[in-house]
Amino acid sequence: MHHSTILFDLDGTLTDPREGITRSIQHALAKLGIDEPDLTKLEPFIGPPLLQAFMEFYGFDEARAWEAVGHYRERFKTVGLYENLLFDGVLEMLEHLRGQGRTLYVATSKPSVFAREIARHFAFDHHFKVIYGSELDGTRTNKIELIAHLIAEERLDPEHTLMIGDRKHDLIGAHRNGLQAVGVGYGFGSHAELMAESPAYYYATLPALRAAFS
């Protein structure tokens, strides 16, 4: 993979946010009178834009979905974003890529304010030129719009830019902007979900992804 610029998704690609996100979703649902004791049922919320996920998975209208997002953020901004783990080997991989002279960015649907705090707290922010996320009002939660914005702001050449992510949204966003994409199988998207979007590359494990850059 020759690309000089690499965009990384955050949740499920660099970090495992399972506990923080699912517990914050559980908190939001409880505030709306919905009891969901099984956190594994809330894992589909990891990756897609949160507002749309509440509407899709619980049938909320937009107003109720925004209410749920507000309750989610009450917990997430103070507790949930720290209930997170870097995948083993991520720091070494980022160090290796920078050593090869590549420029790295984060492209996440998560609000920028949260993504930057996670990167700072877990001490990987210095590996990235800029961390791009959405706005709190929902602007650029769509990966197509987010990647388009990043490319325009940074004046990137799509031919030399690669997107790496664990969900279909990452691959769709890349393809719609003329980028090649890597699907990774250690996150939250199934093999079938990723392969349906025809990634240029697929790596089931983080060591396999790391080895591909050697």
Side-chain angles (χ1 to χ4, degrees):
M1 292 186 286
H2 63 281
H3 308 79
S4 58
T5 303
I6 303 176
L7 316 184
F8 281 93
D9 173 50
L10 179 58
D11 294 339
T13 302
L14 297 175
T15 71
D16 181 351
R18 186 187 324 252
E19 181 179 359
I21 290 179
T22 58
R23 290 193 180 279
S24 297
I25 295 292
Q26 185 184 54
H27 169 82
L29 293 173
K31 287 281 192 175
L32 296 175
I34 300 171
D35 179 36
E36 180 47 78
D38 186 355
L39 293 177
T40 62
K41 291 183 179 179
L42 303 178
E43 289 181 8
F45 277 90
I46 303 172
L50 199 55
L51 182 74
Q52 287 75 17
F54 275 118
M55 295 170 73
E56 178 182 351
F57 301 140
Y58 280 87
F60 293 171
D61 62 21
E62 187 171 348
R64 189 163 172 80
W66 271 119
E67 187 179 356
V69 168
H71 292 312
Y72 169 90
R73 288 175 177 168
E74 288 170 0
R75 184 185 188 280
F76 188 80
K77 68 183 179 182
T78 56
V79 179
L81 61 82
Y82 303 112
E83 295 172 325
N84 207 334
L85 297 169
L86 269 177
F87 287 117
D88 288 341
V90 161
L91 291 179
E92 292 81 2
M93 177 179 66
L94 297 177
E95 191 80 44
H96 176 72
L97 292 173
R98 288 181 65 222
Q100 292 179 324
R102 305 187 202 236
T103 304
L104 311 182
Y105 296 88
V106 169
T108 175
S109 293
K110 186 183 296 299
S112 297
V113 63
F114 297 151
R116 290 170 185 157
E117 173 57 15
I118 289 166
R120 182 206 65 77
H121 180 77
F122 292 96
F124 62 89
D125 53 337
H126 62 287
H127 290 298
F128 294 94
K129 182 178 178 183
V130 186
I131 294 172
Y132 280 87
S134 64
E135 303 300 325
L136 290 170
D137 66 0
T139 302
R140 290 189 295 277
T141 54
N142 183 296
K143 271 286 171 71
I144 298 170
E145 297 173 5
L146 175 71
I147 293 173
H149 174 71
L150 192 164
I151 290 171
E153 287 291 305
E154 300 297 325
R155 300 181 180 179
L156 301 181
D157 180 352
E159 184 178 345
H160 298 291
T161 305
L162 183 71
M163 177 70 202
I164 301 177
D166 70 310
R167 297 300 306 271
K168 65 181 180 181
H169 314 83
D170 303 308
L171 308 188
I172 293 168
H175 292 155
R176 290 283 293 274
N177 285 287
L179 277 58
Q180 285 195 320
V182 176
V184 295
Y186 56 83
F188 294 92
S190 68
H191 180 264
E193 174 186 321
L194 293 169
M195 296 313 291
E197 303 304 331
S198 303
Y201 310 92
Y202 173 83
Y203 300 104
T205 67
L206 197 142
L209 174 63
R210 164 69 172 80
F213 288 113
S214 296

